[in-house]
Each structure stands twice: as structure tokens, then as C-alpha cells.
PDB file of all heavy atoms in Angstrom:
ATOM      1  N   VAL N   1    -115.017-123.279 188.885  1.00 84.00           N
ATOM      2  CA  VAL N   1    -114.907-124.488 188.063  1.00 84.00           C
ATOM      3  C   VAL N   1    -115.710-124.323 186.781  1.00 84.00           C
ATOM      4  O   VAL N   1    -116.872-123.945 186.801  1.00 84.00           O
ATOM      5  CB  VAL N   1    -115.437-125.714 188.836  1.00 84.00           C
ATOM      6  CG1 VAL N   1    -115.324-126.965 187.960  1.00 84.00           C
ATOM      7  CG2 VAL N   1    -114.704-125.906 190.139  1.00 84.00           C
ATOM      8  N   ARG N   2    -115.053-124.585 185.628  1.00 79.00           N
ATOM      9  CA  ARG N   2    -115.716-124.507 184.339  1.00 79.00           C
ATOM     10  C   ARG N   2    -116.376-125.845 184.029  1.00 79.00           C
ATOM     11  O   ARG N   2    -115.706-126.866 183.923  1.00 79.00           O
ATOM     12  CB  ARG N   2    -114.740-124.154 183.234  1.00 79.00           C
ATOM     13  CG  ARG N   2    -115.391-124.015 181.859  1.00 79.00           C
ATOM     14  CD  ARG N   2    -114.375-123.686 180.788  1.00 79.00           C
ATOM     15  NE  ARG N   2    -113.816-122.358 180.952  1.00 79.00           N
ATOM     16  CZ  ARG N   2    -112.560-122.107 181.321  1.00 79.00           C
ATOM     17  NH1 ARG N   2    -111.749-123.109 181.588  1.00 79.00           N
ATOM     18  NH2 ARG N   2    -112.127-120.894 181.437  1.00 79.00           N
ATOM     19  N   LEU N   3    -117.699-125.878 183.875  1.00 74.00           N
ATOM     20  CA  LEU N   3    -118.428-127.105 183.561  1.00 74.00           C
ATOM     21  C   LEU N   3    -118.407-127.374 182.063  1.00 74.00           C
ATOM     22  O   LEU N   3    -118.082-126.530 181.264  1.00 74.00           O
ATOM     23  CB  LEU N   3    -119.865-126.982 184.050  1.00 74.00           C
ATOM     24  CG  LEU N   3    -120.069-126.713 185.553  1.00 74.00           C
ATOM     25  CD1 LEU N   3    -121.540-126.631 185.876  1.00 74.00           C
ATOM     26  CD2 LEU N   3    -119.388-127.756 186.387  1.00 74.00           C
ATOM     27  N   LEU N   4    -118.774-128.610 181.689  1.00 67.00           N
ATOM     28  CA  LEU N   4    -118.732-129.001 180.283  1.00 67.00           C
ATOM     29  C   LEU N   4    -119.731-128.219 179.446  1.00 67.00           C
ATOM     30  O   LEU N   4    -119.546-128.055 178.237  1.00 67.00           O
ATOM     31  CB  LEU N   4    -119.034-130.515 180.161  1.00 67.00           C
ATOM     32  CG  LEU N   4    -117.919-131.442 180.682  1.00 67.00           C
ATOM     33  CD1 LEU N   4    -118.369-132.891 180.583  1.00 67.00           C
ATOM     34  CD2 LEU N   4    -116.620-131.235 179.898  1.00 67.00           C
ATOM     35  N   ASP N   5    -120.827-127.710 180.065  1.00 64.00           N
ATOM     36  CA  ASP N   5    -121.796-126.937 179.294  1.00 64.00           C
ATOM     37  C   ASP N   5    -121.438-125.443 179.228  1.00 64.00           C
ATOM     38  O   ASP N   5    -122.217-124.630 178.744  1.00 64.00           O
ATOM     39  CB  ASP N   5    -123.208-127.117 179.885  1.00 64.00           C
ATOM     40  CG  ASP N   5    -123.299-126.640 181.311  1.00 64.00           C
ATOM     41  OD1 ASP N   5    -122.303-126.105 181.849  1.00 64.00           O
ATOM     42  OD2 ASP N   5    -124.362-126.816 181.940  1.00 64.00           O
ATOM     43  N   GLY N   6    -120.240-125.098 179.723  1.00 65.00           N
ATOM     44  CA  GLY N   6    -119.774-123.709 179.649  1.00 65.00           C
ATOM     45  C   GLY N   6    -120.079-122.881 180.868  1.00 65.00           C
ATOM     46  O   GLY N   6    -119.542-121.796 181.025  1.00 65.00           O
ATOM     47  N   LYS N   7    -120.970-123.369 181.727  1.00 68.00           N
ATOM     48  CA  LYS N   7    -121.307-122.611 182.928  1.00 68.00           C
ATOM     49  C   LYS N   7    -120.226-122.832 184.004  1.00 68.00           C
ATOM     50  O   LYS N   7    -119.366-123.662 183.877  1.00 68.00           O
ATOM     51  CB  LYS N   7    -122.669-123.050 183.465  1.00 68.00           C
ATOM     52  CG  LYS N   7    -123.807-122.730 182.521  1.00 68.00           C
ATOM     53  CD  LYS N   7    -125.140-123.154 183.125  1.00 68.00           C
ATOM     54  CE  LYS N   7    -126.299-122.812 182.181  1.00 68.00           C
ATOM     55  NZ  LYS N   7    -127.605-123.236 182.746  1.00 68.00           N
ATOM     56  N   ARG N   8    -120.322-122.062 185.069  1.00 66.00           N
ATOM     57  CA  ARG N   8    -119.339-122.158 186.155  1.00 66.00           C
ATOM     58  C   ARG N   8    -120.027-122.373 187.487  1.00 66.00           C
ATOM     59  O   ARG N   8    -121.120-121.845 187.724  1.00 66.00           O
ATOM     60  CB  ARG N   8    -118.479-120.900 186.231  1.00 66.00           C
ATOM     61  CG  ARG N   8    -117.496-120.746 185.085  1.00 66.00           C
ATOM     62  CD  ARG N   8    -116.609-119.536 185.259  1.00 66.00           C
ATOM     63  NE  ARG N   8    -115.621-119.446 184.207  1.00 66.00           N
ATOM     64  CZ  ARG N   8    -114.448-120.044 184.226  1.00 66.00           C
ATOM     65  NH1 ARG N   8    -114.123-120.799 185.264  1.00 66.00           N
ATOM     66  NH2 ARG N   8    -113.600-119.921 183.219  1.00 66.00           N
ATOM     67  N   ILE N   9    -119.401-123.175 188.338  1.00 68.00           N
ATOM     68  CA  ILE N   9    -119.839-123.313 189.732  1.00 68.00           C
ATOM     69  C   ILE N   9    -118.778-122.652 190.588  1.00 68.00           C
ATOM     70  O   ILE N   9    -117.590-122.918 190.445  1.00 68.00           O
ATOM     71  CB  ILE N   9    -120.003-124.776 190.136  1.00 68.00           C
ATOM     72  CG1 ILE N   9    -121.235-125.374 189.466  1.00 68.00           C
ATOM     73  CG2 ILE N   9    -120.128-124.921 191.647  1.00 68.00           C
ATOM     74  CD1 ILE N   9    -121.497-126.814 189.829  1.00 68.00           C
ATOM     75  N   GLN N  10    -119.214-121.815 191.495  1.00 58.00           N
ATOM     76  CA  GLN N  10    -118.253-121.167 192.380  1.00 58.00           C
ATOM     77  C   GLN N  10    -118.893-120.904 193.726  1.00 58.00           C
ATOM     78  O   GLN N  10    -120.119-120.777 193.808  1.00 58.00           O
ATOM     79  CB  GLN N  10    -117.725-119.871 191.760  1.00 58.00           C
ATOM     80  CG  GLN N  10    -118.793-118.860 191.435  1.00 58.00           C
ATOM     81  CD  GLN N  10    -118.192-117.620 190.791  1.00 58.00           C
ATOM     82  OE1 GLN N  10    -117.010-117.381 190.763  1.00 58.00           O
ATOM     83  NE2 GLN N  10    -119.067-116.784 190.252  1.00 58.00           N
ATOM     84  N   PRO N  11    -118.144-120.836 194.807  1.00 70.00           N
ATOM     85  CA  PRO N  11    -116.698-121.051 194.811  1.00 70.00           C
ATOM     86  C   PRO N  11    -116.323-122.464 195.229  1.00 70.00           C
ATOM     87  O   PRO N  11    -117.080-123.127 195.934  1.00 70.00           O
ATOM     88  CB  PRO N  11    -116.209-120.062 195.863  1.00 70.00           C
ATOM     89  CG  PRO N  11    -117.330-120.059 196.879  1.00 70.00           C
ATOM     90  CD  PRO N  11    -118.608-120.286 196.094  1.00 70.00           C
ATOM     91  N   LEU N  12    -115.222-122.928 194.745  1.00 79.00           N
ATOM     92  CA  LEU N  12    -114.552-124.126 195.240  1.00 79.00           C
ATOM     93  C   LEU N  12    -113.409-123.631 196.117  1.00 79.00           C
ATOM     94  O   LEU N  12    -112.540-122.891 195.631  1.00 79.00           O
ATOM     95  CB  LEU N  12    -114.023-124.983 194.100  1.00 79.00           C
ATOM     96  CG  LEU N  12    -113.035-126.095 194.459  1.00 79.00           C
ATOM     97  CD1 LEU N  12    -113.701-127.154 195.318  1.00 79.00           C
ATOM     98  CD2 LEU N  12    -112.468-126.723 193.200  1.00 79.00           C
ATOM     99  N   LYS N  13    -113.384-124.007 197.384  1.00 83.00           N
ATOM    100  CA  LYS N  13    -112.314-123.565 198.282  1.00 83.00           C
ATOM    101  C   LYS N  13    -111.398-124.722 198.617  1.00 83.00           C
ATOM    102  O   LYS N  13    -111.856-125.801 198.974  1.00 83.00           O
ATOM    103  CB  LYS N  13    -112.883-122.962 199.572  1.00 83.00           C
ATOM    104  CG  LYS N  13    -113.522-121.590 199.361  1.00 83.00           C
ATOM    105  CD  LYS N  13    -113.921-120.955 200.693  1.00 83.00           C
ATOM    106  CE  LYS N  13    -114.457-119.555 200.468  1.00 83.00           C
ATOM    107  NZ  LYS N  13    -114.844-118.920 201.768  1.00 83.00           N
ATOM    108  N   VAL N  14    -110.118-124.500 198.467  1.00 85.00           N
ATOM    109  CA  VAL N  14    -109.118-125.532 198.744  1.00 85.00           C
ATOM    110  C   VAL N  14    -108.072-124.928 199.702  1.00 85.00           C
ATOM    111  O   VAL N  14    -107.623-123.808 199.492  1.00 85.00           O
ATOM    112  CB  VAL N  14    -108.413-125.983 197.432  1.00 85.00           C
ATOM    113  CG1 VAL N  14    -107.466-127.124 197.745  1.00 85.00           C
ATOM    114  CG2 VAL N  14    -109.414-126.387 196.387  1.00 85.00           C
ATOM    115  N   ALA N  15    -107.742-125.666 200.739  1.00 82.00           N
ATOM    116  CA  ALA N  15    -106.761-125.183 201.715  1.00 82.00           C
ATOM    117  C   ALA N  15    -105.651-126.215 201.854  1.00 82.00           C
ATOM    118  O   ALA N  15    -105.896-127.425 201.853  1.00 82.00           O
ATOM    119  CB  ALA N  15    -107.425-124.957 203.082  1.00 82.00           C
ATOM    120  N   THR N  16    -104.418-125.742 201.924  1.00 85.00           N
ATOM    121  CA  THR N  16    -103.296-126.642 202.155  1.00 85.00           C
ATOM    122  C   THR N  16    -102.573-126.270 203.432  1.00 85.00           C
ATOM    123  O   THR N  16    -102.295-125.081 203.667  1.00 85.00           O
ATOM    124  CB  THR N  16    -102.315-126.641 200.955  1.00 85.00           C
ATOM    125  OG1 THR N  16    -101.227-127.534 201.248  1.00 85.00           O
ATOM    126  CG2 THR N  16    -101.761-125.267 200.654  1.00 85.00           C
ATOM    127  N   PHE N  17    -102.309-127.263 204.278  1.00 78.00           N
ATOM    128  CA  PHE N  17    -101.583-127.078 205.541  1.00 78.00           C
ATOM    129  C   PHE N  17    -100.314-127.915 205.503  1.00 78.00           C
ATOM    130  O   PHE N  17    -100.344-129.083 205.108  1.00 78.00           O
ATOM    131  CB  PHE N  17    -102.438-127.563 206.727  1.00 78.00           C
ATOM    132  CG  PHE N  17    -103.615-126.681 207.054  1.00 78.00           C
ATOM    133  CD1 PHE N  17    -104.741-126.710 206.267  1.00 78.00           C
ATOM    134  CD2 PHE N  17    -103.599-125.858 208.138  1.00 78.00           C
ATOM    135  CE1 PHE N  17    -105.833-125.917 206.566  1.00 78.00           C
ATOM    136  CE2 PHE N  17    -104.684-125.056 208.468  1.00 78.00           C
ATOM    137  CZ  PHE N  17    -105.807-125.087 207.663  1.00 78.00           C
ATOM    138  N   HIS N  18     -99.213-127.330 205.930  1.00 77.00           N
ATOM    139  CA  HIS N  18     -97.958-128.066 206.061  1.00 77.00           C
ATOM    140  C   HIS N  18     -97.562-127.969 207.519  1.00 77.00           C
ATOM    141  O   HIS N  18     -96.945-126.983 207.974  1.00 77.00           O
ATOM    142  CB  HIS N  18     -96.885-127.457 205.150  1.00 77.00           C
ATOM    143  CG  HIS N  18     -95.593-128.210 205.151  1.00 77.00           C
ATOM    144  ND1 HIS N  18     -94.420-127.647 204.761  1.00 77.00           N
ATOM    145  CD2 HIS N  18     -95.306-129.488 205.486  1.00 77.00           C
ATOM    146  CE1 HIS N  18     -93.441-128.525 204.881  1.00 77.00           C
ATOM    147  NE2 HIS N  18     -93.971-129.650 205.305  1.00 77.00           N
ATOM    148  N   LEU N  19     -97.907-128.996 208.285  1.00 68.00           N
ATOM    149  CA  LEU N  19     -97.754-128.926 209.727  1.00 68.00           C
ATOM    150  C   LEU N  19     -96.336-129.232 210.187  1.00 68.00           C
ATOM    151  O   LEU N  19     -95.496-129.696 209.413  1.00 68.00           O
ATOM    152  CB  LEU N  19     -98.731-129.922 210.382  1.00 68.00           C
ATOM    153  CG  LEU N  19    -100.211-129.718 210.019  1.00 68.00           C
ATOM    154  CD1 LEU N  19    -101.076-130.690 210.785  1.00 68.00           C
ATOM    155  CD2 LEU N  19    -100.658-128.275 210.275  1.00 68.00           C
ATOM    156  N   LYS N  20     -96.084-128.943 211.447  1.00 61.00           N
ATOM    157  CA  LYS N  20     -94.730-129.116 212.034  1.00 61.00           C
ATOM    158  C   LYS N  20     -94.324-130.569 212.021  1.00 61.00           C
ATOM    159  O   LYS N  20     -95.070-131.449 212.437  1.00 61.00           O
ATOM    160  CB  LYS N  20     -94.721-128.589 213.477  1.00 61.00           C
ATOM    161  CG  LYS N  20     -93.363-128.666 214.147  1.00 61.00           C
ATOM    162  CD  LYS N  20     -92.399-127.646 213.604  1.00 61.00           C
ATOM    163  CE  LYS N  20     -91.001-127.829 214.163  1.00 61.00           C
ATOM    164  NZ  LYS N  20     -90.281-128.974 213.603  1.00 61.00           N
ATOM    165  N   SER N  21     -93.095-130.833 211.550  1.00 61.00           N
ATOM    166  CA  SER N  21     -92.561-132.185 211.573  1.00 61.00           C
ATOM    167  C   SER N  21     -91.627-132.315 212.777  1.00 61.00           C
ATOM    168  O   SER N  21     -91.477-131.404 213.569  1.00 61.00           O
ATOM    169  CB  SER N  21     -91.797-132.472 210.289  1.00 61.00           C
ATOM    170  OG  SER N  21     -90.606-131.705 210.263  1.00 61.00           O
ATOM    171  N   LYS N  22     -90.984-133.465 212.887  1.00 57.00           N
ATOM    172  CA  LYS N  22     -90.034-133.697 213.957  1.00 57.00           C
ATOM    173  C   LYS N  22     -88.596-133.416 213.555  1.00 57.00           C
ATOM    174  O   LYS N  22     -87.655-133.811 214.257  1.00 57.00           O
ATOM    175  CB  LYS N  22     -90.151-135.142 214.470  1.00 57.00           C
ATOM    176  CG  LYS N  22     -91.427-135.404 215.248  1.00 57.00           C
ATOM    177  CD  LYS N  22     -91.410-136.778 215.890  1.00 57.00           C
ATOM    178  CE  LYS N  22     -92.645-136.992 216.741  1.00 57.00           C
ATOM    179  NZ  LYS N  22     -92.635-138.307 217.437  1.00 57.00           N
ATOM    180  N   SER N  23     -88.409-132.715 212.437  1.00 56.00           N
ATOM    181  CA  SER N  23     -87.053-132.356 212.054  1.00 56.00           C
ATOM    182  C   SER N  23     -86.477-131.357 213.045  1.00 56.00           C
ATOM    183  O   SER N  23     -87.221-130.586 213.680  1.00 56.00           O
ATOM    184  CB  SER N  23     -87.057-131.738 210.649  1.00 56.00           C
ATOM    185  OG  SER N  23     -87.802-130.542 210.640  1.00 56.00           O
ATOM    186  N   ASN N  24     -85.182-131.376 213.211  1.00 55.00           N
ATOM    187  CA  ASN N  24     -84.479-130.559 214.193  1.00 55.00           C
ATOM    188  C   ASN N  24     -84.926-130.865 215.619  1.00 55.00           C
ATOM    189  O   ASN N  24     -84.852-130.019 216.512  1.00 55.00           O
ATOM    190  CB  ASN N  24     -84.692-129.054 213.909  1.00 55.00           C
ATOM    191  CG  ASN N  24     -84.044-128.617 212.627  1.00 55.00           C
ATOM    192  OD1 ASN N  24     -82.953-129.083 212.290  1.00 55.00           O
ATOM    193  ND2 ASN N  24     -84.694-127.745 211.885  1.00 55.00           N
ATOM    194  N   GLY N  25     -85.375-132.095 215.831  1.00 53.00           N
ATOM    195  CA  GLY N  25     -85.806-132.484 217.169  1.00 53.00           C
ATOM    196  C   GLY N  25     -84.702-132.471 218.198  1.00 53.00           C
ATOM    197  O   GLY N  25     -84.973-132.401 219.398  1.00 53.00           O
ATOM    198  N   SER N  26     -83.451-132.491 217.737  1.00 57.00           N
ATOM    199  CA  SER N  26     -82.323-132.451 218.690  1.00 57.00           C
ATOM    200  C   SER N  26     -82.275-131.153 219.459  1.00 57.00           C
ATOM    201  O   SER N  26     -81.674-131.083 220.535  1.00 57.00           O
ATOM    202  CB  SER N  26     -80.988-132.645 217.929  1.00 57.00           C
ATOM    203  OG  SER N  26     -80.820-131.633 216.962  1.00 57.00           O
ATOM    204  N   LYS N  27     -82.913-130.106 218.910  1.00 58.00           N
ATOM    205  CA  LYS N  27     -82.945-128.838 219.607  1.00 58.00           C
ATOM    206  C   LYS N  27     -83.929-128.834 220.777  1.00 58.00           C
ATOM    207  O   LYS N  27     -83.964-127.907 221.580  1.00 58.00           O
ATOM    208  CB  LYS N  27     -83.331-127.718 218.625  1.00 58.00           C
ATOM    209  CG  LYS N  27     -82.313-127.499 217.505  1.00 58.00           C
ATOM    210  CD  LYS N  27     -82.768-126.409 216.574  1.00 58.00           C
ATOM    211  CE  LYS N  27     -81.762-126.219 215.442  1.00 58.00           C
ATOM    212  NZ  LYS N  27     -82.205-125.145 214.475  1.00 58.00           N
ATOM    213  N   ASP N  28     -84.717-129.881 220.867  1.00 55.00           N
ATOM    214  CA  ASP N  28     -85.686-130.018 221.949  1.00 55.00           C
ATOM    215  C   ASP N  28     -85.605-131.453 222.480  1.00 55.00           C
ATOM    216  O   ASP N  28     -86.471-132.275 222.231  1.00 55.00           O
ATOM    217  CB  ASP N  28     -87.105-129.721 221.404  1.00 55.00           C
ATOM    218  CG  ASP N  28     -88.172-129.809 222.491  1.00 55.00           C
ATOM    219  OD1 ASP N  28     -87.882-129.486 223.647  1.00 55.00           O
ATOM    220  OD2 ASP N  28     -89.280-130.235 222.149  1.00 55.00           O
ATOM    221  N   PRO N  29     -84.514-131.790 223.208  1.00 52.00           N
ATOM    222  CA  PRO N  29     -84.256-133.173 223.590  1.00 52.00           C
ATOM    223  C   PRO N  29     -85.360-133.821 224.422  1.00 52.00           C
ATOM    224  O   PRO N  29     -85.556-135.027 224.386  1.00 52.00           O
ATOM    225  CB  PRO N  29     -82.944-133.081 224.381  1.00 52.00           C
ATOM    226  CG  PRO N  29     -82.830-131.646 224.785  1.00 52.00           C
ATOM    227  CD  PRO N  29     -83.497-130.859 223.701  1.00 52.00           C
ATOM    228  N   THR N  30     -86.115-133.033 225.193  1.00 49.00           N
ATOM    229  CA  THR N  30     -87.187-133.615 226.007  1.00 49.00           C
ATOM    230  C   THR N  30     -88.428-133.905 225.171  1.00 49.00           C
ATOM    231  O   THR N  30     -89.272-134.690 225.580  1.00 49.00           O
ATOM    232  CB  THR N  30     -87.567-132.650 227.152  1.00 49.00           C
ATOM    233  OG1 THR N  30     -88.151-131.465 226.577  1.00 49.00           O
ATOM    234  CG2 THR N  30     -86.363-132.290 227.991  1.00 49.00           C
ATOM    235  N   GLY N  31     -88.505-133.263 223.992  1.00 54.00           N
ATOM    236  CA  GLY N  31     -89.684-133.445 223.164  1.00 54.00           C
ATOM    237  C   GLY N  31     -90.872-132.621 223.659  1.00 54.00           C
ATOM    238  O   GLY N  31     -91.937-132.632 223.072  1.00 54.00           O
ATOM    239  N   TYR N  32     -90.669-131.863 224.718  1.00 53.00           N
ATOM    240  CA  TYR N  32     -91.764-131.130 225.338  1.00 53.00           C
ATOM    241  C   TYR N  32     -92.292-130.021 224.441  1.00 53.00           C
ATOM    242  O   TYR N  32     -93.477-129.975 224.108  1.00 53.00           O
ATOM    243  CB  TYR N  32     -91.310-130.558 226.677  1.00 53.00           C
ATOM    244  CG  TYR N  32     -92.367-129.751 227.406  1.00 53.00           C
ATOM    245  CD1 TYR N  32     -93.430-130.380 228.063  1.00 53.00           C
ATOM    246  CD2 TYR N  32     -92.312-128.363 227.427  1.00 53.00           C
ATOM    247  CE1 TYR N  32     -94.398-129.630 228.716  1.00 53.00           C
ATOM    248  CE2 TYR N  32     -93.259-127.619 228.090  1.00 53.00           C
ATOM    249  CZ  TYR N  32     -94.299-128.250 228.719  1.00 53.00           C
ATOM    250  OH  TYR N  32     -95.255-127.523 229.367  1.00 53.00           O
ATOM    251  N   LYS N  33     -91.397-129.125 224.001  1.00 57.00           N
ATOM    252  CA  LYS N  33     -91.839-127.994 223.197  1.00 57.00           C
ATOM    253  C   LYS N  33     -92.378-128.449 221.848  1.00 57.00           C
ATOM    254  O   LYS N  33     -93.460-128.034 221.398  1.00 57.00           O
ATOM    255  CB  LYS N  33     -90.678-127.024 222.997  1.00 57.00           C
ATOM    256  CG  LYS N  33     -91.036-125.835 222.107  1.00 57.00           C
ATOM    257  CD  LYS N  33     -89.833-124.942 221.856  1.00 57.00           C
ATOM    258  CE  LYS N  33     -90.179-123.819 220.901  1.00 57.00           C
ATOM    259  NZ  LYS N  33     -89.032-122.946 220.620  1.00 57.00           N
ATOM    260  N   TRP N  34     -91.616-129.345 221.194  1.00 56.00           N
ATOM    261  CA  TRP N  34     -91.994-129.790 219.842  1.00 56.00           C
ATOM    262  C   TRP N  34     -93.390-130.438 219.863  1.00 56.00           C
ATOM    263  O   TRP N  34     -94.234-130.169 219.027  1.00 56.00           O
ATOM    264  CB  TRP N  34     -90.965-130.782 219.324  1.00 56.00           C
ATOM    265  CG  TRP N  34     -90.104-130.247 218.200  1.00 56.00           C
ATOM    266  CD1 TRP N  34     -89.975-130.778 216.962  1.00 56.00           C
ATOM    267  CD2 TRP N  34     -89.260-129.100 218.218  1.00 56.00           C
ATOM    268  NE1 TRP N  34     -89.075-130.031 216.213  1.00 56.00           N
ATOM    269  CE2 TRP N  34     -88.634-128.986 216.949  1.00 56.00           C
ATOM    270  CE3 TRP N  34     -88.960-128.134 219.185  1.00 56.00           C
ATOM    271  CZ2 TRP N  34     -87.736-127.967 216.619  1.00 56.00           C
ATOM    272  CZ3 TRP N  34     -88.065-127.126 218.865  1.00 56.00           C
ATOM    273  CH2 TRP N  34     -87.477-127.055 217.615  1.00 56.00           C
ATOM    274  N   GLU N  35     -93.628-131.323 220.832  1.00 54.00           N
ATOM    275  CA  GLU N  35     -94.876-132.064 220.847  1.00 54.00           C
ATOM    276  C   GLU N  35     -96.064-131.183 221.189  1.00 54.00           C
ATOM    277  O   GLU N  35     -97.163-131.368 220.683  1.00 54.00           O
ATOM    278  CB  GLU N  35     -94.792-133.246 221.810  1.00 54.00           C
ATOM    279  CG  GLU N  35     -93.935-134.394 221.297  1.00 54.00           C
ATOM    280  CD  GLU N  35     -94.371-134.839 219.920  1.00 54.00           C
ATOM    281  OE1 GLU N  35     -95.574-135.105 219.710  1.00 54.00           O
ATOM    282  OE2 GLU N  35     -93.514-134.920 219.023  1.00 54.00           O
ATOM    283  N   ILE N  36     -95.863-130.199 222.042  1.00 57.00           N
ATOM    284  CA  ILE N  36     -96.952-129.268 222.359  1.00 57.00           C
ATOM    285  C   ILE N  36     -97.337-128.488 221.107  1.00 57.00           C
ATOM    286  O   ILE N  36     -98.519-128.328 220.779  1.00 57.00           O
ATOM    287  CB  ILE N  36     -96.537-128.323 223.510  1.00 57.00           C
ATOM    288  CG1 ILE N  36     -96.583-129.066 224.839  1.00 57.00           C
ATOM    289  CG2 ILE N  36     -97.499-127.121 223.564  1.00 57.00           C
ATOM    290  CD1 ILE N  36     -96.222-128.234 226.023  1.00 57.00           C
ATOM    291  N   VAL N  37     -96.334-127.985 220.387  1.00 58.00           N
ATOM    292  CA  VAL N  37     -96.605-127.240 219.162  1.00 58.00           C
ATOM    293  C   VAL N  37     -97.324-128.136 218.150  1.00 58.00           C
ATOM    294  O   VAL N  37     -98.264-127.714 217.485  1.00 58.00           O
ATOM    295  CB  VAL N  37     -95.312-126.680 218.565  1.00 58.00           C
ATOM    296  CG1 VAL N  37     -95.565-126.079 217.173  1.00 58.00           C
ATOM    297  CG2 VAL N  37     -94.721-125.631 219.477  1.00 58.00           C
ATOM    298  N   ARG N  38     -96.871-129.393 218.017  1.00 57.00           N
ATOM    299  CA  ARG N  38     -97.491-130.316 217.062  1.00 57.00           C
ATOM    300  C   ARG N  38     -98.949-130.610 217.455  1.00 57.00           C
ATOM    301  O   ARG N  38     -99.830-130.669 216.604  1.00 57.00           O
ATOM    302  CB  ARG N  38     -96.697-131.623 217.009  1.00 57.00           C
ATOM    303  CG  ARG N  38     -95.427-131.514 216.155  1.00 57.00           C
ATOM    304  CD  ARG N  38     -94.489-132.638 216.450  1.00 57.00           C
ATOM    305  NE  ARG N  38     -95.077-133.953 216.291  1.00 57.00           N
ATOM    306  CZ  ARG N  38     -95.221-134.586 215.110  1.00 57.00           C
ATOM    307  NH1 ARG N  38     -94.814-133.991 214.020  1.00 57.00           N
ATOM    308  NH2 ARG N  38     -95.739-135.754 215.033  1.00 57.00           N
ATOM    309  N   MET N  39     -99.207-130.798 218.751  1.00 53.00           N
ATOM    310  CA  MET N  39    -100.573-131.105 219.178  1.00 53.00           C
ATOM    311  C   MET N  39    -101.481-129.875 219.027  1.00 53.00           C
ATOM    312  O   MET N  39    -102.663-130.000 218.707  1.00 53.00           O
ATOM    313  CB  MET N  39    -100.569-131.568 220.646  1.00 53.00           C
ATOM    314  CG  MET N  39    -100.033-132.975 220.836  1.00 53.00           C
ATOM    315  SD  MET N  39    -100.242-133.574 222.536  1.00 53.00           S
ATOM    316  CE  MET N  39     -99.069-132.554 223.404  1.00 53.00           C
TER     317      MET N  39
END
């Protein structure tokens, strides 16, 4: 990060997660597999 006085602070760590949704749930009619993976 560049500060207003020209110096830098490091590190800034940012993580992004895109977790499993319930799309294509018809392939798992009992919900068993999908929900275990989600949990």
C-alpha cells in the first residue's frame, strides 16, 4: 500500500473464496452430496 507520505506498508493480504452454490442440485436429488461438500 502506497501511503500519502510516499512510504509503503506491506504486506496487505487479500483472499477471495467462491464457495459451492446449489446450482445443478438436480444432479443430487437427496441433497446429501451437495450439502456435505458445502458444509
